[in-house]
Amino acid sequence: MRKDELRTPCYVVQESKLRKNLEILKSVRQETGCHILLAQKAFSMYHLYPLIGEYLDGATASGLHEARLGYEEMGKENHIFSPAYKEEEMPEILKMCDHIVFNSPAQFRKYKDQVRAYGRRTDGQDGSADTGSMYGGCAGGRSMGLRINPECSTQEGHAIYDPCAPFSRLGTTLEQMQAELTEEEISELDGFHFHTLCEQNSDDLATTLRAVEEKFGKYLHQMKWVNFGGGHHITREDYDLELLKKCIRHVKETYDVEVYLEPGEAVALNAGEMITEVLEIVDNGMKIAILDASAACHMPDVLEMPYRPPLKDAWEPNAEESVVCREGSETAEDGSLHGECAGGRQYIYRLAGPTCLAGDVIGDYAFDHPLQCGERLEFQDMAIYTMVKTNTFNGMNLPDIVLEGENGECEIVRTFGYEDFKSRL
């Protein structure tokens, strides 16, 4: 099936672009000896886990269901971190996960004996055999780590995604660790985990590492592994790979530990798109195109971050042009802007979803032609944080999930319908 034959809306993941990202990640692994895991929270299209497993060491999870998905569908290293674990879920987590990372001293103290005992089972089985993997010095059992907060924020304007923001619930500060854990208990930890980045370059990692070493350096020599977490935009064109490799080698050689990275976005960055159709065009001071894709349901980060997703063959009008369009003072009947404010003819539309939410708006876009009902639009970089965050508000159907092969042929991996809406209620 070709792309123009697909029903809309749909997510289309492009195998060639995914492989390109995976090749970059594989080269980092090979040149530094680090372990790289897929952070499933960003991309959980398990149809592609066999392919991803050819390049990466395994997967990491934020909860039981993600852990089970990585265990069943990738079957390699399987890690988990949660701010707090449910007691009834820990036995299943122990069966499936090699590394269990705790968020606080209290969580570590609550579960550490249970985790250690898993390697001393009385049923004649070796606890390390369940996943077929044995990493991080946890032979015969499971490896335990503590998420640390180096109190080093390198982000600007996105406190919602900043684990080092004031009053953050994520990670343990040095002061908290020293106050709540004895030296003997700290020595029971196998590793430290920190995750402070979001869509950032390796210079911010280097800054963070300096803070980690300054605060926690005396304990790093006791560890078997250090996990750099996620947020590394490793496959972005301007990413400084050499500095990343330098950071990895420095930690490995200085502290004699294994180093882990958990990229999510970097695995499928720019490797997918969402195809949508224009259903209707209305005019209320500006042209508004109503699509069959919803910001609220199909790309919730647009409203949550917020951000404006890139759109093929369209561009962002500048503020002056948008004001003119809304006021209508220089807008032609066909919706175009012209004259000195636009620098030529262009057509500006507000793209919006079909739900009842008044704010279900994707953004304002400029085109070189007037849009028509039935026309298809292609939003870019739609593989990450989309499929994993969709919802069925208003009974909206979920987009099909499609894999575009390297030959351009499309395979429909998953479709959805009424029962998917009804079964959740």
Side-chain angles (χ1 to χ4, degrees):
M1 179 180 288
R2 307 301 294 183
K3 197 157 63 172
D4 58 8
E5 298 175 303
L6 298 170
R7 73 170 185 171
T8 61
C10 62
Y11 300 115
V12 181
V13 176
Q14 297 149 316
E15 182 180 352
S16 61
K17 294 181 179 180
L18 183 68
R19 282 188 183 273
K20 180 181 177 182
N21 290 340
L22 291 170
E23 289 287 355
I24 295 171
L25 296 171
K26 181 180 179 180
S27 71
V28 173
R29 287 179 58 225
Q30 292 176 331
E31 293 178 33
T32 65
C34 74
H35 303 254
I36 298 184
L37 309 173
L38 165 69
Q40 296 177 91
K41 60 186 176 182
F43 185 71
S44 297
M45 187 177 169
Y46 61 89
H47 180 80
L48 290 167
Y49 280 15
L51 170 63
I52 295 171
E54 294 176 15
Y55 294 85
L56 305 187
D57 294 284
T60 186
S62 300
L64 176 61
H65 289 171
E66 278 188 1
R68 180 174 175 179
L69 189 67
Y71 173 75
E72 293 180 347
E73 302 297 335
M74 195 173 297
K76 301 185 73 176
E77 283 199 67
N78 206 30
H79 295 202
I80 188 170
F81 162 79
S82 176
Y85 293 99
K86 294 174 71 72
E87 289 184 26
E88 61 267 30
E89 293 179 352
M90 187 54 69
E92 193 171 359
I93 287 171
L94 286 171
K95 176 185 176 183
M96 297 184 295
C97 296
D98 301 288
H99 285 200
I100 296 99
V101 178
F102 298 103
N103 187 58
S104 66
Q107 284 276 293
F108 169 64
R109 186 176 287 119
K110 179 177 182 178
Y111 291 109
K112 67 184 181 69
D113 291 339
Q114 186 178 353
V115 175
R116 288 296 183 216
Y118 190 81
R120 302 190 297 271
R121 286 163 34 169
T122 58
D123 57 7
Q125 297 184 44
D126 183 342
S128 67
D130 294 333
T131 61
S133 57
M134 192 161 54
Y135 297 93
C138 57
R142 294 297 182 249
S143 189
M144 292 184 293
L146 180 69
R147 178 166 177 170
I148 57 174
N149 178 355
E151 301 175 272
C152 175
S153 179
T154 56
Q155 299 185 42
E156 294 182 7
H158 285 95
I160 188 174
Y161 295 114
D162 185 358
C164 292
F167 314 114
S168 172
R169 76 189 193 286
L170 298 173
T172 299
T173 65
L174 177 64
E175 181 180 4
Q176 291 169 330
M177 187 181 79
Q178 292 177 331
E180 298 180 36
L181 292 178
T182 66
E183 291 295 318
E184 182 179 354
E185 287 175 319
I186 293 173
S187 71
E188 293 183 65
L189 290 166
D190 297 307
F192 282 149
H193 175 289
F194 63 88
H195 180 165
T196 68
L197 306 181
C198 178
E199 300 182 350
Q200 288 168 271
N201 213 314
S202 53
D203 57 336
D204 290 324
L205 170 62
T207 299
T208 300
L209 274 178
R210 287 193 290 271
V212 169
E213 290 185 279
E214 179 183 338
K215 289 182 168 66
F216 295 91
K218 65 174 282 189
Y219 300 105
L220 291 176
H221 293 284
Q222 304 175 26
M223 301 298 150
K224 298 181 176 71
W225 51 264
V226 176
N227 191 319
F228 291 5
H232 316 276
H233 251 198
I234 300 170
T235 54
R236 199 172 71 199
E237 286 188 5
D238 67 343
Y239 189 86
D240 189 343
L241 286 169
E242 293 310 311
L243 179 56
L244 170 66
K245 295 170 190 176
K246 182 179 178 181
C247 289
I248 295 169
R249 293 188 184 109
H250 167 72
V251 172
K252 283 175 62 69
E253 294 166 5
T254 303
Y255 303 103
D256 190 25
V257 293
E258 293 296 314
V259 169
Y260 286 85
L261 286 85
E262 299 177 343
E265 291 196 13
V267 173
L269 187 67
N270 296 315
E273 56 193 17
M274 174 190 276
I275 304 176
T276 180
E277 181 180 320
V278 178
L279 300 178
E280 180 62 282
I281 298 173
V282 299
D283 194 328
N284 185 17
M286 71 178 297
K287 298 288 186 180
I288 304 166
I290 300 174
L291 313 180
D292 62 1
S294 162
C297 297
H298 304 147
M299 44 181 110
D301 270 4
V302 168
L303 304 182
E304 185 176 300
M305 286 188 70
Y307 87 109
R308 178 185 166 280
L311 180 64
K312 184 179 179 181
D313 297 327
W315 61 95
E316 182 176 9
N318 65 41
E320 181 182 0
E321 292 163 357
S322 294
V323 169
V324 170
C325 185
R326 282 193 290 271
E327 293 176 348
S329 58
E330 295 289 339
T331 307
E333 290 184 3
D334 62 4
S336 66
L337 288 179
H338 55 86
E340 58 178 309
C341 67
R345 184 174 292 274
Q346 61 180 330
Y347 302 81
I348 296 180
Y349 293 82
R350 174 160 294 172
L351 304 185
T355 71
C356 71
L357 177 66
D360 192 358
V361 173
I362 301 165
D364 295 353
Y365 294 81
F367 300 83
D368 62 4
H369 66 280
L371 295 183
Q372 303 293 327
C373 291
E375 185 171 347
R376 291 187 167 205
L377 306 178
E378 298 180 11
F379 288 100
Q380 305 298 294
D381 198 20
M382 280 285 145
I384 50 178
Y385 288 109
T386 51
M387 292 173 268
V388 296
K389 298 184 78 170
T390 54
N391 64 79
T392 57
F393 174 62
N394 275 187
M396 287 289 294
N397 200 32
L398 299 174
D400 292 346
I401 298 175
V402 178
L403 175 64
E404 182 180 8
E406 295 184 278
N407 62 359
E409 286 293 317
C410 291
E411 172 192 356
I412 299 176
V413 174
R414 182 77 191 272
T415 61
F416 302 90
Y418 170 69
E419 289 302 325
D420 295 288
F421 163 64
K422 182 181 179 183
S423 64
R424 300 176 62 189
L425 304 173

